[in-house]
């Protein structure tokens, strides 16, 4: 995980050190990550509809409900309060957003609303590309690094990427 200049500023060790910081950089530290409306909508759609499509029998202990979704919610919380998260959690977040958007695209195709289907397909493809890039970086940089991400997070992300390719 790369430490940004803003991360260093947020962790200034003394009050004097904080006062010497550039005002704009300090403000950046105080700005929380605000979950965009589209992302909120897609995560709600994933949580309330898509997850249920993965389970043929309603099961509260499905991995999509107990592993995938909680880690993405943790990722969003980390971004909101700390401004950063692990690459692998961010990859999982993007994968789930992509899956949700692809399902919306498919729903609109079925309803013969081609413009909406295309729009959600484009959104899904962007999230998919971001997920692939983050997963690749995580494998190349984090998998064999000092503070390795959890195995379950890698597995959940890779399974989600497979889901994208199957459902797309």
């Amino acid at each position: 995980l790369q430490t940004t200049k803003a991360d260093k500023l947020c962790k200034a060790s003394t009050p004097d050190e904080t006062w010497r910081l550039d005002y704009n950089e300090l403000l950046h530290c105080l700005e929380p990550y605000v979950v965009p409306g589209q992302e909120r909508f897609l995560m709600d759609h994933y949580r309330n509809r898509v997850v249920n499509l993965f389970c043929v029998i309603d099961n509260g202990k499905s991995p999509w409900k107990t592993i995938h979704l909680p880690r993405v919610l943790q990722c969003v919380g980390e971004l909101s309060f700390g401004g950063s998260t692990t690459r692998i959690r961010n990859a999982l977040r993007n994968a789930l957003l992509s899956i949700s958007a692809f399902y919306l695209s498919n729903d609109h195709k079925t309803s013969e609303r081609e413009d909406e289907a295309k729009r959600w397909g484009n959104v899904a493809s962007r999230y998919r590309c971001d997920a692939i890039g983050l997963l690749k970086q995580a494998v190349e940089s984090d998998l064999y690094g000092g503070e390795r991400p959890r195995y379950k997070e890698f597995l959940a992300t890779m399974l989600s990427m497979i889901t994208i390719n199957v459902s797309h």
Side-chain angles (χ1 to χ4, degrees):
L1 187 62
Q2 294 178 336
T3 303
T4 64
K5 192 173 185 180
D7 293 332
K8 290 176 188 173
L9 294 172
C10 293
K11 295 175 184 168
S13 59
T14 66
D16 291 294
E17 204 176 321
T18 304
W19 288 109
R20 283 187 236 131
L21 301 175
D22 179 50
Y23 180 71
N24 289 329
E25 291 174 344
L26 184 59
L27 281 179
H28 175 73
C29 293
L30 301 175
E31 292 176 11
Y33 171 75
V34 177
V35 181
Q38 177 177 276
E39 188 173 324
R40 255 192 324 269
F41 173 77
L42 288 171
M43 285 312 302
D44 186 64
H45 180 256
Y46 182 89
R47 184 174 56 93
N48 292 309
R49 179 142 191 277
V50 176
V51 162
N52 296 321
L53 296 172
F54 289 144
C55 300
V56 179
I57 298 171
D58 188 26
N59 180 359
K61 293 186 177 186
S62 80
W64 295 278
K65 290 179 182 178
T66 61
I67 297 172
H68 297 223
L69 191 57
R71 284 191 168 63
V72 169
L73 297 175
Q74 179 183 5
C75 170
V76 172
E78 288 171 345
L79 289 169
S80 296
F81 291 105
S84 65
T85 189
T86 64
R87 275 189 264 269
I88 198 66
R89 280 190 201 126
N90 207 8
L92 181 59
R93 178 179 137 263
N94 279 279
L96 267 56
L97 292 168
S98 177
I99 291 166
S100 184
F102 274 125
Y103 269 95
L104 280 169
S105 177
N106 292 339
D107 284 348
H108 288 299
K109 282 180 190 171
T110 302
S111 303
E112 297 181 10
R113 296 190 318 223
E114 292 300 319
D115 289 344
E116 281 297 300
K118 185 176 180 179
R119 184 174 78 82
W120 285 114
N122 289 335
V123 168
S125 294
R126 282 194 304 269
Y127 282 122
R128 179 177 177 247
C129 287
D130 289 346
I132 290 169
L134 287 163
L135 177 58
K136 183 177 185 237
Q137 287 176 1
V139 168
E140 291 172 351
S141 303
D142 302 337
L143 190 58
Y144 303 105
E147 193 174 315
R148 294 189 309 182
R150 293 185 176 150
Y151 170 77
K152 281 185 179 181
E153 292 177 353
F154 268 98
L155 182 60
T157 304
M158 288 187 255
L159 290 173
S160 293
M161 295 304 299
I162 292 168
T163 302
I164 293 171
N165 292 326
V166 169
S167 64
H168 173 58

